[in-house]
Amino acid sequence: MNKPKKVALAYSGGLDTSIIIPWLKENYGCEVVAVCGDIGQGGEELTGLKKKAKATGAKECYVADMREEFVSEYLWKMVRAGGEYEHKYLLGTSIARPLLAKRQVEVALESGCDALSHGCTGKGNDQVRFELTYKALAPHLPVIAPWREWDIVSREDAIKYAASRNVPIAQSTKKIYSRDRNIWHISHEGGALESPANAAPDQIWMLTTAPKDAPNKPEDVTIGFEKGTPVSVNGKRYASAVALLETLNKIGGKHGVGRIDLVENRFVGMKSRGCYETPGGALIMYAFRELEALTLDKSMAHYKQKLALDYAELVYNGLWFTPLRESLDAFFDKTCENTTGEITLRLYKGGIEPICRKSPYSLYSHAIASFTMGAEYDQKDARGFINIIGLPIQVRAAVQKATQKRETTKKR
């Protein structure tokens, strides 16, 4: 690769991307354009970001508010799909990377950059998510991945490098957790969490109250959906998807909802351990499943569960900008045509319990489901389908019995 003149860097202001700016200038002699997206990571991470990037050596720093796009065009699609990776992970980091990479590509093309760069390690999933997006949107731009080139091999090395270049960072050798935050969740990795034998330290949690310290009185919250999209909380309709999610984050966080501790299978093949907090997302996904239990028939519900696993893996592996994801979204939109209604959940010390389920499209029939006998369902009909379904079982049992009888006769 010829040395680029101008590189667009996916920039967060964290340890890795902070030291990449001087490293790119030293090793490639190029200008660096830092690109950051506001996806709800909070004011602390964004405050002074442009100033810090330029002080570290960036020629320009672009920060775009992408919160509404993130929630409406990415998170809500994932909710309608029921995407959940390996039974627990609500894909908070995975779903954000394609959007950030898309914005990085847009800035690169607009500002005349001739290369792209990111701070993802060669062991992680994010390198795949960023670079697959690059390939989909700007396949002609070469990619510089410093973690696959430089001689820095640990976060301790990175901290030393930052100190030698006077790069201000929040991490230290005593505070070395790696975190990723957006409006959907926050992830915690590294430090004591690297050993699955260690319990997650109490101090790592940032968005949720410890369940033991949560209010002693339960709280009920009602979430309203229209065609699978969250639209209201406790009867209040929200024009802003961001405001709705922020409201549920506060409610869920107060009651210690949405914590998970997960050993997961990374895309690159290794296992890793991380802790995630997704308070509002946990409430939304729980309520969504309860609503679908009313509105989907058995065959659709079960088939959707299978495709939801594929969708979650697709998102986890960074395959957002693909025809397959678009096609699956079309299927899930169809399944959600009648996913409209309200679900009331009771929250108590980290737990979630469904209290009330309502939908104008509910397929639940009290007349049929009731234990009271009625004309809508003739219980004598059950004999017929049991006999038909059971015919292969019955035949097989008869053959086995006859075979055993012949073998017994031969032995005599």
Side-chain angles (χ1 to χ4, degrees):
M1 178 178 69
N2 294 327
K3 283 194 173 185
K5 296 179 180 178
K6 196 173 186 180
V7 178
L9 169 67
Y11 182 71
S12 67
L15 173 59
D16 297 339
T17 58
S18 292
I19 64 174
I20 286 174
I21 294 176
W23 185 88
L24 284 172
K25 296 184 70 176
E26 291 171 15
N27 290 271
Y28 283 87
C30 59
E31 294 180 350
V32 179
V33 177
V35 186
C36 178
D38 178 1
I39 50 175
Q41 56 265 56
E44 289 184 7
E45 289 191 34
L46 296 171
T47 301
L49 198 65
K50 288 186 176 182
K51 183 178 179 181
K52 177 180 177 180
K54 290 185 177 181
T56 311
K59 180 177 178 61
E60 296 292 340
C61 180
Y62 295 86
V63 181
D65 186 345
M66 300 187 293
R67 291 173 297 168
E68 284 291 339
E69 181 182 5
F70 180 45
V71 179
S72 298
E73 300 300 323
Y74 288 74
L75 292 179
W76 285 174
K77 289 181 186 295
M78 191 175 68
V79 169
R80 289 193 290 270
E84 186 174 317
Y85 186 70
E86 296 190 341
H87 308 296
K88 288 184 176 182
Y89 177 37
L90 298 184
L91 298 164
T93 294
S94 312
I95 192 69
R97 295 323 194 204
L99 174 59
L100 294 172
K102 177 176 78 77
R103 181 56 186 153
Q104 180 188 1
V105 168
E106 290 170 349
V107 170
L109 298 177
E110 292 165 2
S111 59
C113 292
D114 53 355
L116 301 164
S117 183
H118 61 72
C120 312
T121 72
K123 286 186 175 182
N125 301 306
D126 282 340
Q127 60 180 334
V128 180
R129 296 164 185 154
F130 272 95
E131 293 186 37
L132 290 183
T133 300
Y134 300 159
K135 289 181 182 296
L137 304 181
H140 63 290
L141 291 180
V143 178
I144 301 171
W147 272 101
R148 302 202 295 256
E149 295 185 28
W150 60 22
D151 55 3
I152 294 173
V153 297
S154 67
R155 295 186 70 77
E156 288 83 359
D157 285 351
I159 290 169
K160 291 178 183 177
Y161 185 95
S164 68
R165 269 64 173 186
N166 296 316
V167 176
I169 57 171
Q171 292 81 2
S172 68
T173 54
K174 293 183 179 179
K175 184 184 178 183
I176 206 164
Y177 291 108
S178 175
R179 291 184 166 97
D180 178 72
R181 181 173 180 174
N182 57 51
I183 193 172
W184 187 246
H185 91 152
I186 187 169
S187 64
H188 314 273
E189 293 181 324
L193 298 178
E194 289 190 343
S195 172
N198 294 333
D202 292 338
Q203 66 270 21
I204 69 163
W205 307 103
M206 299 176 67
L207 303 183
T208 54
T209 301
K212 64 181 179 62
D213 298 325
N216 293 321
K217 183 180 179 181
E219 180 177 353
D220 293 351
V221 57
T222 299
I223 304 174
F225 294 83
E226 286 186 2
K227 294 185 176 182
T229 299
V231 294
S232 65
V233 177
N234 293 332
K236 178 181 177 180
R237 190 178 181 89
Y238 285 80
S240 164
V242 169
L244 182 147
L245 183 52
E246 287 176 338
T247 298
L248 289 175
N249 278 336
K250 291 177 182 178
I251 295 172
K254 179 174 68 173
H255 291 277
V257 166
R259 292 185 176 189
I260 67 166
D261 186 334
L262 175 66
V263 174
E264 67 195 66
N265 290 294
R266 287 184 180 177
F267 180 85
V268 296
M270 69 183 70
K271 292 186 182 291
S272 64
R273 191 268 189 100
C275 290
Y276 302 92
E277 297 175 85
T278 319
L283 299 180
I284 289 170
M285 295 297 280
Y286 196 110
F288 179 77
R289 288 192 294 268
E290 292 296 324
L291 184 57
E292 280 196 321
L294 289 181
T295 61
L296 294 184
D297 63 57
K298 176 183 175 181
S299 59
M300 181 68 85
H302 289 189
Y303 196 73
K304 183 181 178 183
Q305 288 173 7
K306 297 175 185 178
L307 290 187
L309 294 175
D310 292 337
Y311 193 90
E313 189 161 308
L314 177 150
V315 171
Y316 188 85
N317 292 343
L319 295 165
W320 184 263
F321 291 103
T322 60
L324 177 56
R325 193 273 303 170
E326 294 171 356
S327 300
L328 287 173
D329 276 337
F331 171 79
F332 293 128
D333 285 346
K334 179 67 177 178
T335 67
C336 288
E337 283 183 344
N338 292 331
T339 310
T340 295
E342 290 187 337
I343 301 295
T344 301
L345 306 174
R346 179 159 293 167
L347 316 182
Y348 182 66
K349 292 192 176 296
I352 307 174
E353 178 185 0
I355 297 300
C356 179
R357 309 168 179 89
K358 294 180 180 179
S359 171
Y361 303 102
S362 175
L363 300 178
Y364 185 95
S365 170
H366 179 76
I368 294 176
S370 174
F371 280 98
T372 301
M373 307 305 173
E376 290 80 2
Y377 186 91
D378 187 343
Q379 299 192 57
K380 294 178 182 178
D381 291 341
R383 182 185 295 115
F385 75 76
I386 292 173
N387 287 338
I388 292 173
I389 294 171
L391 185 59
I393 301 173
Q394 183 178 347
V395 171
R396 184 172 183 273
V399 170
Q400 287 179 329
K401 186 175 182 180
T403 301
Q404 290 171 354
K405 186 176 182 179
R406 287 195 301 270
E407 291 176 352
T408 302
T409 302
K410 286 179 182 180
K411 289 179 181 179
R412 291 178 180 174

